[in-house]
Amino acid sequence: MNDFFKDLGRTVLEQWKRENFSLSSFPGIAQKALEDHPPATSVDLSEFMREFLLNDEQPQQTHSGFGQPELVAYHHPKFYIQLLFWLDGTTDIHQHEFSGAFHVMSGSSIHAHFKFENAQSITPHFRVGDVRMQNIELLETGRTVPIISGSSCIHSLFHLDTPSITVVVRTQHDPGTGPQFNYLPPHVAMDPVLDDSLTMRRKQLLDVMAQVEDPDYVEVVIEMINELDFERGFFILQNCMGPLHQLGAWDAVLETYQKKHGDLASGIPATLEEYVRRDVIKEMRGSITDPEHRFFLALLMNVPTKKDLLPLIQQRFSDVPPIDTVLRWAEELGGETESGIALLDAFFPETLEIEAEEQPAIYLTALKHFIEGSKKVPAELRKLSSSQIKELRASLESSSLCVLLR
Ligand SMILES: [Fe+2]
């Protein structure tokens, strides 16, 4: 066992015991211990890894799939210390069924806090309401943040460097604070460990039907949506969205769900759209390693409007106007692709019939124009008709850059 974490664990244990293991005192104790003995400056990572790999005397490890991977560095029946490695991972928006504190040992992350308002429980594992971002901040190496169990601490992390490593000092489990909801903005909370194996198998069977192009696929999905309750119907919609879009049947299926569930379903279309948008960004993250570009993706994923987004860019890259930085990133992350000229994942509409070499400049000017929101059309766009300008806007609105137009 690594000596640093053994000492850190003992320090936490002694102090918490003095507080009679009161749950409410634990986050403060964990935070202070990490701030007084910061792993970021006290732990030699390669030495830690060698010791973990070569010495058999290690704390009990878990089977957790969280982290890439998770290593337990200290274990006590009431709490433990874990190291979470992150390679290309980003966390979903989530809350915890444990408390303590986390510390950025290596790398840096974008950290966003959320609130879930107007919550309405559908089942003990599924809620509808309004997911709202409260604040977003950059966590540099060495920062420590408390974790409170339950819905008062809903957050997400987007790691900027590879690897990013966080140290978490946490209780085993805080009874009564579950489930550990994941949030799908803007309107859904769901229990990620909900054990519904029948639904899981049904989704897999539907995937088989989609893959073999079974002619009954759409009809069966519509029948299921008519039969199933709100929660399970949602999971079927979520699972079948891709194939249904390809088959041109998405609108009909969504309408069936909305007809069946009325007002309760009003936030579901926006939630599913946002789910796909976030998924696209997550996937891009896997192949984008430049920390500046990851920072941009983190903002696109978590910040709801340009009014919130531009000041965050200004704060970090203060010598250039934030719109110019955005345009540079959008251009660097796009260029000429197999599907045409792109700015990140927005593709220049082919229907405009504009020469390929003119497209990048026009697209960037259009993006700038839409972000600025001015009524005056810039000279570069004047040769386009208003419907062509609308097409350019629509192509950006259906991409990850849509936040910049809101
Ligand atoms: Fe967390």
Side-chain angles (χ1 to χ4, degrees), residues 153-338:
C153 175
I154 300 172
H155 73 161
S156 73
L157 284 160
F158 195 111
H159 305 293
L160 300 176
D161 309 280
T162 309
S164 284
I165 305 172
T166 40
V167 175
V168 187
V169 179
R170 52 162 288 180
T171 55
Q172 297 284 353
H173 173 240
D174 298 353
T177 59
Q180 206 159 250
F181 281 112
N182 271 357
Y183 292 84
L184 306 181
H187 298 299
V188 166
M190 52 175 271
D191 178 358
V193 293
L194 165 65
D195 183 17
D196 180 357
S197 46
L198 178 61
T199 301
M200 176 185 75
R201 294 301 190 210
R202 282 176 169 167
K203 289 194 294 191
Q204 290 169 338
L205 189 58
L206 285 167
D207 290 347
V208 173
M209 287 181 81
Q211 207 150 349
V212 302
E213 297 177 10
D214 190 311
D216 291 340
Y217 180 74
V218 174
E219 193 192 318
V220 172
V221 173
I222 290 181
E223 274 185 64
M224 285 177 80
I225 295 296
N226 263 323
E227 279 300 314
L228 290 171
D229 52 280
F230 189 81
E231 176 189 290
R232 292 187 301 164
F234 175 84
F235 290 134
I236 297 300
L237 284 181
Q238 188 186 28
N239 188 71
C240 300
M241 229 179 147
L244 289 171
H245 267 298
Q246 278 172 10
L247 292 165
W250 173 247
D251 290 340
V253 177
L254 191 58
E255 208 179 290
T256 307
Y257 185 80
Q258 286 181 292
K259 218 182 237 174
K260 181 170 166 78
H261 299 289
D263 275 356
L264 205 53
S266 60
I268 298 303
T271 301
L272 288 169
E273 256 173 52
E274 177 65 10
Y275 170 76
V276 172
R277 192 187 77 91
R278 295 174 77 88
D279 231 30
V280 169
I281 298 178
K282 264 193 228 172
E283 218 173 287
M284 287 194 281
R285 213 206 104 111
S287 57
I288 292 171
T289 50
D290 181 314
E292 259 191 44
H293 291 159
R294 284 189 179 217
F295 176 74
F296 185 39
L297 290 185
L299 297 184
L300 291 177
M301 189 160 173
N302 289 298
V303 181
T305 65
K306 65 184 169 194
K307 203 174 93 241
D308 304 295
L309 193 143
L310 295 174
L312 288 161
I313 295 177
Q314 178 82 72
Q315 203 181 319
R316 199 167 180 206
F317 302 93
S318 50
D319 19 346
V320 193
I323 293 185
D324 293 354
T325 309
V326 164
L327 295 177
R328 174 169 65 82
W329 287 336
E331 193 182 8
E332 286 167 356
L333 288 165
E336 212 174 323
T337 72
E338 277 173 20

Side-chain angles (χ1 to χ4, degrees), residues 107-119:
S108 58
S109 308
I110 292 287
H111 183 222
H113 263 122
F114 299 83
K115 253 192 174 165
F116 192 53
E117 294 173 335
N118 309 314

Side-chain angles (χ1 to χ4, degrees), residues 107-156:
S108 58
S109 308
I110 292 287
H111 183 222
H113 263 122
F114 299 83
K115 253 192 174 165
F116 192 53
E117 294 173 335
N118 309 314
Q120 186 180 351
S121 280
I122 308 296
T123 73
H125 306 281
F126 199 93
R127 291 179 179 179
V128 291
D130 301 313
V131 183
R132 293 198 207 285
M133 197 196 77
Q134 295 297 292
N135 58 60
I136 187 160
E137 59 181 340
L138 175 69
L139 294 183
E140 303 272 17
T141 309
R143 269 288 295 279
T144 301
V145 177
I147 301 169
I148 316 289
S149 49
S151 60
S152 64
C153 175
I154 300 172
H155 73 161
S156 73

